[in-house]
Amino acid sequence: MILTNYWWLILWPILMGPILALILPKTEVSVFGITLERWPLVAVWILVLPYIFWCMNRSEFADTEVYRSMFLEVPLPASAFTNYLSGHTKDRGFFILIWLLKHWIGNNDQVFFLIIAVFQLFCVASFFRQYSKDFWLCFFMFVASTDYLSWMFNGMRQFIAVSIILISFRCLLNRHYFLMLLLILLAASIHGSALLVLPILLIIYGRAWNKKTILLLMTVIMMILFVHPLTDIIEELLRDTQYNDIVTNDIWQQDDGTNMLRVLFYSVPALLSLAGKSYIDEADSPLLNLCVNCSICTAAVYLLSAFSSGIYIGRIPVLTTLQGYIILPWLIDRMFTRTSAWLVRIVFISVYLIFFYYQMHIAWQLI
């Protein structure tokens, strides 16, 4: 199954989602004090399956061929691999993962992409299924926001780490802190950005819109006001690291930051949570509180990236973006009457479709 028309990315959930919702009944469950309607596993995988195969059969898209080359060039003999690994000073866990997979599947790069896609979509889909009030809407957001293409077709290595972070988020909710720390360290061995989850945890833990999240927003605003001194600070902090040329290299110098439309788009969960804060406080669910605070982190870092670097800073919000998607279906149903909620959903879906068209046609020129 090869993706020959990018419109299928959005047509598949729109056409198949309502059918699955009608023929396969959902189960009402209570999770951390809130009531959810959980999709059956078979419905989830029917919806997700094409995205796995599209990811497996991709070619010539963004960093796809770079990852293909990485996979093919990793040597199988242990001695040769040890020498190969010594030449890579960062993200060694990713190369160890490739080496282990090659012992199992050989040099079949398509199977390699298949295994990675299965793992990533298993983590994403199971996270949405377990914690969202509306699995379909969250998965639709994941696709229509172009997160699916951006991360599974392009930033594959970082998204492996993000997928592991989603598992660690469950550990945080269940207060399995030691296991959570181990998973974060494992994710950091795949992509070093996962270590940023540790300070993020200090911000998101607690009530929704707590003082730490307000302080984060104020800090970001101050950074924006003093953006030039900020770059000097970043350069000094990274002077003796593998990123010592991050500010002076050509990529940073030519990077004009994240598009403000994208910043606004990804800030919607945080803005809606602010409008519906009284409902969130009334529910007092640790799940909602953490997800709201994640959405605030996403909005804050995206805002910072608009005035600094979309390539470097703009990659950080993916650590908290998917958690923020969880709150939107719940807030829509809680803040509006039954009829109004449907109208809001239609408007909401329409906005996502417009953004999908903008990103795919105008920004990327793929359709």
Side-chain angles (χ1 to χ4, degrees):
M1 182 185 293
I2 299 175
L3 185 62
T4 56
N5 190 326
Y6 288 103
W7 279 114
W8 276 111
L9 291 173
I10 208 73
L11 288 173
W12 176 253
I14 289 176
L15 296 174
M16 184 55 65
I19 296 173
L20 293 172
L22 286 173
I23 64 176
L24 295 172
K26 292 171 279 189
T27 305
E28 192 173 278
V29 296
S30 179
V31 179
F32 293 102
I34 59 176
T35 302
L36 309 176
E37 289 186 331
R38 182 167 291 168
W39 274 43
L41 278 172
V42 63
V44 169
W45 283 106
I46 289 173
L47 193 66
V48 166
L49 202 58
Y51 296 91
I52 292 175
F53 287 107
W54 288 332
C55 200
M56 167 189 173
N57 291 303
R58 73 190 190 270
S59 62
E60 304 295 335
F61 186 98
D63 289 345
T64 293
E65 300 311 317
V66 174
Y67 285 115
R68 197 189 308 276
S69 297
M70 282 183 183
F71 174 77
L72 294 175
E73 73 181 16
V74 168
L76 276 176
S79 58
F81 176 68
T82 301
N83 292 331
Y84 174 85
L85 196 62
S86 65
H88 295 79
T89 58
K90 65 174 183 175
D91 302 337
R92 288 181 170 179
F94 180 68
F95 298 100
I96 294 172
L97 173 63
I98 292 177
W99 183 67
L100 292 173
L101 287 176
K102 286 188 74 167
H103 275 281
W104 179 32
I105 64 175
N107 269 336
N108 194 324
D109 52 285
Q110 277 195 315
V111 176
F112 168 67
F113 284 137
L114 172 66
I115 292 171
I116 299 301
V118 168
F119 171 73
Q120 291 174 334
L121 278 175
F122 169 79
C123 292
V124 171
S126 60
F127 181 77
F128 288 157
R129 176 181 179 266
Q130 185 167 1
Y131 296 123
S132 175
K133 187 175 178 64
D134 188 336
F135 166 81
W136 180 89
L137 185 58
C138 283
F139 190 75
F140 171 81
M141 291 160 62
F142 174 67
V143 174
S145 65
T146 66
D147 285 345
Y148 167 72
L149 275 183
S150 295
W151 297 107
M152 294 191 63
F153 275 49
N154 183 26
M156 186 181 77
R157 175 167 49 177
Q158 186 173 1
F159 202 64
I160 295 173
V162 170
S163 300
I164 298 173
I165 294 302
L166 290 179
I167 301 174
S168 75
F169 189 82
R170 299 179 183 183
C171 297
L172 176 62
L173 283 167
N174 292 294
R175 299 186 179 183
H176 299 153
Y177 301 123
F178 181 71
L179 179 57
M180 176 192 68
L181 179 61
L182 291 179
L183 287 169
I184 292 173
L185 293 177
L186 174 62
S189 74
I190 303 293
H191 198 280
S193 64
L195 286 176
L196 293 172
V197 172
L198 295 175
I200 287 173
L201 288 173
L202 300 177
I203 298 171
I204 66 174
Y205 204 78
R207 299 292 292 267
W209 286 95
N210 58 49
K211 293 179 180 179
K212 293 174 291 183
T213 59
I214 302 298
L215 179 61
L216 171 66
L217 291 172
M218 293 175 62
T219 302
V220 166
I221 292 171
M222 292 299 294
M223 285 181 170
I224 292 170
L225 293 175
F226 300 99
V227 66
H228 294 297
L230 170 65
T231 58
D232 294 337
I233 293 171
I234 292 174
E235 187 174 14
E236 182 63 31
L237 289 174
L238 301 178
R239 185 177 299 279
D240 297 321
T241 74
Q242 57 185 303
Y243 303 109
N244 60 348
D245 66 337
I246 189 173
V247 174
T248 57
N249 66 25
D250 291 338
I251 296 176
W252 181 285
Q253 295 297 325
Q254 297 172 14
D255 186 357
D256 57 358
T258 302
N259 187 299
M260 283 303 298
L261 180 61
R262 178 171 285 271
V263 174
L264 180 62
F265 184 76
Y266 279 97
S267 299
V268 169
L271 293 173
L272 190 60
S273 71
L274 181 60
K277 186 178 182 300
S278 59
Y279 297 97
I280 296 167
D281 290 341
E282 181 183 354
D284 194 22
S285 166
L287 171 62
L288 292 178
N289 288 334
L290 286 172
C291 287
V292 166
N293 291 335
C294 280
S295 73
I296 298 169
C297 289
T298 298
V301 179
Y302 262 127
L303 181 61
L304 178 61
S305 72
F307 294 89
S308 54
S309 168
I311 296 174
Y312 291 112
I313 308 299
R315 284 176 167 264
I316 298 174
V318 71
L319 297 169
T320 53
T321 297
L322 301 185
Q323 296 90 326
Y325 287 167
I326 296 292
I327 64 171
L328 278 169
W330 186 88
L331 280 170
I332 290 172
D333 287 345
R334 194 65 179 267
M335 292 174 64
F336 302 95
T337 64
R338 189 179 185 88
T339 303
S340 297
W342 274 107
L343 292 174
V344 171
R345 283 172 185 267
I346 292 171
V347 172
F348 188 74
I349 291 169
S350 299
V351 170
Y352 265 81
L353 289 173
I354 293 170
F355 182 83
F356 178 81
Y357 178 78
Y358 166 82
Q359 190 65 33
M360 298 294 288
H361 179 68
I362 298 175
W364 291 346
Q365 299 180 349
L366 293 175
I367 56 176

